[in-house]
Amino acid sequence: MRHPRRFLVGVAAVLGGIVSWVVAGLLVSWLVAGGWPWLLFLALAILLIHWLRRRLGFPERARRALEQSLAGEGRRVWLVSARRRHGVWDLCFRLRDPLQIADLLRRQAAFGPALGASVSLWPDRRWRQPVLRMRASTVRLPGPRDPFEVGELSGPVRLVTPPVTYQGFYGRYQAPKGVLVSGIGYSTRGPLWTDLASLPHLLIGGQTGTGKSAFLRQLLVRLLTTYGPERIQLLLIDLKGGAEFQVFAGLPHLPAPVVGQVGECAHAIAQLVGALQERLEVFRRRGVQSLEELERSGLRLPRIVVAIDEVTSLAYREIQRVAPEEAALRYAALDGLSTLARLGRAAGIHLLVATQRPDPEVLPGQLLANVGASIAFGVRNYRDSETILREGDASAAFLPRVAGRGVYVFGMEREEFQTPFLSGEEARRRLEERWPELRAPAVVGEEQR
């Protein structure tokens, strides 16, 4: 037989037609014999269940919460559409006045605790009428006393401390393809990833002890164990004394030691600005506009990641309290960071800036304006959350008091997540496994003896 597959498909189609004809005949006979009342009852039950879900379900509760938050006359909110997938609701509401949408956006942080969900709101400008979109996740992230249960697991892990571990995250999920891909954490919609090449800069804020340094550690370990020094170069600046980043000392990705003083910081940033100008000059000579175009032309340059832990030491408000010589160094460092944030994307230079409170008194506005993504861990009040996440987003002020719990914002994407925990000892062990030259010579000699 020349085409056995077509023959089998034809036989299956004929058999399917015969079965459908027989079933349809039996159904008609059953209805004529008196079965139609049961069919009518089933249809009415389905309609009743649908009506109850609409009146008592999550979309209706969300609509009522929005309606009750509006002030003045014309407090009407209409539900346009509601879809649910993997525990995440995508709702669309229509209002009378665009000013009502602006009022709801300013107070969107209050809807999460009221609805028991992680909520984000934004206007949908594709409609002529004022339409508000809501994305709400009823999935509960793991906590210190909660079982960490996801679809891939055969059963929940009852004792998880901390909630999400480095191995539990990266060993379970496969990273997507990209240039410099690393994990953010486990979100309400599953694993959350980012590509530094698309950000290109990341601002990390939150109180002391909420997870900023731990997040930077796991992100950098992921990058350094995945990509070689020919793909990524690293400049580490820890203005708290340099202790946090000593775990990375000796890596081939570091052209310079970890920077721990303001003077060294200004000098390192000045050198990086010089490297930026050299790359832009290469772009002009080659007739390209970005690092991606330069790589397609045959010349490959490593991307440079600058990680700064606690940039508050360079704050404008701190400059007035120091000597003029040190004040000049801090001004130079901040100006250099602004230049890198403005021109670094095309040249493949990415900033990871961590601070307790990123506002105009701490960082220059030009730097904040060029940061594409933000992460807010636990903060003291809603004002601190709004300065980090912007757009009036105060949700970080209502996060559970769990170390590593944060909110990630990039464009229209907004997710609450739990970052993977990685201790300093485990980080060093994983780096040494990937780069054996990090082991101390004395230790290696003892092992050989």
Side-chain angles (χ1 to χ4, degrees), residues 197-250:
S198 62
L199 292 183
H201 312 301
L202 179 62
L203 180 65
I204 307 159
Q207 288 181 266
T208 301
T210 55
K212 300 189 301 297
S213 299
F215 170 79
L216 275 176
R217 184 189 305 129
Q218 69 86 19
L219 184 144
L220 292 176
V221 168
R222 160 67 187 180
L223 292 177
L224 296 173
T225 54
T226 305
Y227 307 103
E230 73 283 353
R231 292 279 302 276
I232 175 177
Q233 295 288 307
L234 196 60
L235 174 61
L236 299 176
I237 302 174
D238 184 3
L239 298 177
K240 295 186 296 185
E244 290 289 345
F245 287 149
Q246 286 303 320
V247 66
F248 303 106

Side-chain angles (χ1 to χ4, degrees), residues 79 163 354:
L79 179 63

Side-chain angles (χ1 to χ4, degrees), residues 115-133:
L115 297 174
S118 175
V119 176
S120 59
L121 303 173
W122 70 92
D124 193 340
R125 307 191 187 280
R126 297 174 298 176
W127 300 69
R128 293 183 178 179
Q129 296 177 329
V131 172
L132 181 69
R133 297 283 299 276

Side-chain angles (χ1 to χ4, degrees), residues 222-390:
R222 160 67 187 180
L223 292 177
L224 296 173
T225 54
T226 305
Y227 307 103
E230 73 283 353
R231 292 279 302 276
I232 175 177
Q233 295 288 307
L234 196 60
L235 174 61
L236 299 176
I237 302 174
D238 184 3
L239 298 177
K240 295 186 296 185
E244 290 289 345
F245 287 149
Q246 286 303 320
V247 66
F248 303 106
L251 278 168
H253 305 74
L254 273 67
V258 178
V259 176
Q261 303 297 328
V262 174
E264 299 173 355
C265 174
H267 179 67
I269 291 177
Q271 286 186 323
L272 196 56
V273 172
L276 168 66
Q277 300 299 334
E278 292 178 1
R279 291 194 173 197
L280 296 179
E281 181 62 29
V282 173
F283 291 171
R284 285 190 288 268
R285 291 200 306 265
R286 291 264 182 163
V288 298
Q289 296 182 349
S290 65
L291 193 62
E292 291 82 0
E293 295 182 13
L294 185 67
E295 292 176 351
R296 288 194 292 268
S297 69
L299 180 60
R300 179 179 289 272
L301 295 176
R303 292 181 177 268
I304 302 175
V305 177
V306 184
I308 307 175
D309 195 0
E310 203 45 72
V311 75
T312 310
S313 300
L314 301 176
Y316 281 144
R317 61 185 178 189
E318 299 291 335
I319 291 178
Q320 301 175 354
R321 307 175 185 177
V322 298
E325 296 80 5
E326 186 173 347
L329 292 175
R330 298 191 183 195
Y331 272 122
L334 288 176
D335 290 342
L337 286 177
S338 299
T339 303
L340 294 174
R342 188 176 70 254
L343 303 175
R345 178 169 194 160
I349 299 176
H350 311 286
L351 302 179
L352 307 176
V353 181
T355 183
Q356 293 187 23
R357 185 175 180 181
D359 56 29
E361 294 182 355
V362 176
L363 297 175
Q366 197 174 68
L367 175 61
L368 295 176
N370 287 280
V371 173
S374 301
I375 288 179
F377 292 98
V379 295
R380 294 183 178 86
N381 51 57
Y382 71 92
R383 294 185 182 87
D384 290 347
S385 176
E386 290 175 351
T387 57
I388 301 169
L389 302 176
R390 284 161 286 186

